[in-house]
Amino acid sequence: MRIAMIGLGRMGLNIARRLMQSGHDIVAFDLNPASVEQLADEGAVGAASLADLAAKLAAPRIFWVMLPHGDPTESTVAALRDLAEPGDIIIDGGNSFFKDDIRRARDCAARGVHYVDVGTSGGVWGLERGYCLMIGGEADVVKLLDPIFATLAPGLGAISRTDGRNGNDDRAEHGYVHAGPAGAGHFVKMIHNGIEYGLMQAYAEGFDILRGRTSDTLPEDERFTLNLTDIAEVWRRGSVISSWLLDLCAIGLARDPALDQFSGHVADSGEGRWTIDAAMEEAVPANVLTTALFARYRSRVEDSFADKMLSAMRFGFGGHVEVPQ
């Protein structure tokens, strides 16, 4: 199939490459001409503008947008909607808010243009491993795009099939799923990322407790100097907490046991916040996911006003003095 790829960052570039490796034709556009030139050197057709991109596609034209959520995606989808003809398809493969997808799909439908949202997981490893895809949109349009999704997905691989699983739709076993109508794909990906926050926080706290066992505040015979690199490695093998995230912990510790190359100030990209918003809308308790999100906020604050307020109260009731050093 011939697909337009708009946005050639870390994800977009490798998605385009994986498609090209399997024989799909890519027409590429990015605001950075050097990125377009790089992919063109690998066999893609470069485009100088969105209009030029559209002119190099045949109906029904397929536009895959791989940009940061917010204005970059919003303005690009709006521009493509104006360029598109009835029957054309706009795919948002980034991390957009699912309610924005619902609105965009409605706006596109008014012009006879199809809109598909694709939550894409796999990161920088996706070119090699494949991408887990969570898809929202009209069933017949998703079916038309199946060769694209099947190419990007990891396939069955070495993972054993789930006992008791029934049904005729084996797409989920191959790493992609049609989750529902427009917005459903990004909603599922949003919750996926919220869970990711919780899993990452659990690993981070666990390793921090292991590392802290050397503290001189502990009785001497209860102190341990533990090899975190080896512990991460052994947990990868047969442990009930083995996972790809643990693999990444092991890699990070093997390269830099003290993790000195990292600041410890942890960003959040939005999906964690949206997950908690959804939990509040549904009145679903999300204790772990909420705490994991707040821990990221905390990582970016050295000494907060709240900490000073705690010191003031401790001084007030107990005379504890905690002055700036």
Side-chain angles (χ1 to χ4, degrees), residues 161-166:
R161 290 188 152 168
T162 301
D163 289 341
R165 177 178 168 79
N166 299 310

Side-chain angles (χ1 to χ4, degrees), residues 61-75:
R61 295 177 292 185
I62 302 169
F63 304 96
W64 186 301
V65 179
M66 205 68 195
L67 296 169
H69 69 78
D71 185 65
T73 294
E74 194 72 50
S75 59

